[in-house]
Amino acid sequence: MTQLTQVKHSWLNQDFHQTWLTQQSFNLLGFYKRSRCQEGGFFDLDRSGIPLNHRPNTLNTARLTHCYSIAAKRGHPGSLELAEWGIKSLNTVLFDQEHEGWVSSLPRDCLYDPKKSYIHAFVLLAANSAQQADIEGADELYEKALTLFERYFWSEEEQCVLESYDIDWKNLEEYRGANCNMHSTELFIQLAITNQDIKWLKRALAIVERIIHTHAKQHDYHVVEHFDQHWQPIYDFNQDQPTDDFRPYGLTPGHGFEWCHLLLNLEQAFHHFNELPPSWLVEDAIGLFKTAWAHGWKGNGIIYTYDWQQKPVVEERLHWVHAEAAVASATLLKRLDDPNYEPYYRKITGYIHNHLVDEKDGGWFQDLDCKNRISNLIWNGKPDLYHAYLMTIKLANPLTSSLL
């Protein structure tokens, strides 16, 4: 078995732990096979695997397609058909034929939906992953999604990704967000490797320089989430909507962990091109992890958000936060071979095993309260495969290896 870190007795190097990760991959991929919607795309599922509503979710369709494309590339039986279904749906019934692009669900039901960069980034990510797995229709989807992303969302002037437009691509939203730029950074790293084009790494680095090396560093590595059109922080954004699932008020430790491992992935991608990455990528990744852990972990899980006085706001324990924390601690272990990160990794994966894995119905619980009881405050049911599944394969992967 490949030694993932030089840390003595690290769980990352143990056969039993690798088996646990494989079991979780099978568990998750099996649970979400039930989400296929006959009209097109994929439903969100409740805790037992029954559709929550009667129409597909475009964002989760893209995420599921991304995951099943990776699984198909890795030889997981049954994944190919689901990846094909996702690509076909994103090319047809989920595509806005009148204005182009994608909205939250079927275009006929979303006449006033915005065109969000967040959704388009995941459609493009799914298309690119499906290309690597030779999924039919992936090239067509990739060209459509890339054209729209380049035309509307990447700003050469601002060197960042813009947020959203009206459904007809008019009226650019003034808000600038860290979240869509974070997932665009993830996208750009993958595009750089799969297309062998360093342009995408330079774009990712520009985003990271602004959001992390400038703003987060100036705020003791608390990730500033919300900005105006001039990239000035809006500290009270959504103060009246603290449970928002994509733009919550305050600070989100889960994003600190997510940015942490993205910075280290970005560093490795520069090495892939025999380019010297900025040394501060590692320094900033360490700072992000330290701050997210110090203010996120509350003894029995990591909270969703806290305010600028470092007081908890929403104390729900979300599955994606713990998945990203596990990946961050593991990535630091692999990169630094520092045994100080091993206790964090063991604590996080222990929490996942003890509280989030649903041994009865499959999948992971996605929203627990401060006493680790099932909650629906942020997420209803089990709509998301993406964070948990990618965790299981990233943890088992050498730092220098691509998922594809």
Side-chain angles (χ1 to χ4, degrees), residues 377-391:
L377 186 64
I378 311 297
W379 293 100
N380 188 17
K382 297 173 181 170
D384 177 42
L385 167 66
Y386 160 81
H387 288 282
Y389 173 65
L390 291 187
M391 183 209 82

Side-chain angles (χ1 to χ4, degrees), residues 196-232:
Q196 288 297 291
D197 187 349
I198 200 170
K199 169 188 78 174
W200 296 105
L201 289 192
K202 293 178 179 178
R203 289 183 176 184
L205 183 61
I207 291 171
V208 168
E209 282 189 286
R210 181 194 295 276
I211 294 176
I212 301 303
H213 196 55
T214 299
H215 285 289
K217 187 174 181 180
Q218 290 174 355
H219 290 82
D220 297 322
Y221 290 109
H222 299 284
V223 178
V224 183
E225 298 283 349
H226 313 295
F227 301 87
D228 65 19
Q229 69 268 37
H230 305 296
W231 283 98
Q232 295 302 305

Side-chain angles (χ1 to χ4, degrees), residues 201-272:
L201 289 192
K202 293 178 179 178
R203 289 183 176 184
L205 183 61
I207 291 171
V208 168
E209 282 189 286
R210 181 194 295 276
I211 294 176
I212 301 303
H213 196 55
T214 299
H215 285 289
K217 187 174 181 180
Q218 290 174 355
H219 290 82
D220 297 322
Y221 290 109
H222 299 284
V223 178
V224 183
E225 298 283 349
H226 313 295
F227 301 87
D228 65 19
Q229 69 268 37
H230 305 296
W231 283 98
Q232 295 302 305
I234 310 174
Y235 296 110
D236 61 352
F237 186 86
N238 265 354
Q239 194 164 7
D240 60 341
Q241 298 182 57
T243 60
D244 192 277
D245 51 356
F246 290 106
R247 298 183 184 181
Y249 163 67
L251 297 149
T252 309
H255 286 160
F257 294 123
E258 204 162 355
W259 279 109
C260 167
H261 66 78
L262 282 173
L263 264 61
L264 297 175
N265 294 153
L266 181 58
E267 180 201 35
Q268 293 301 311
F270 272 104
H271 287 309
H272 174 85

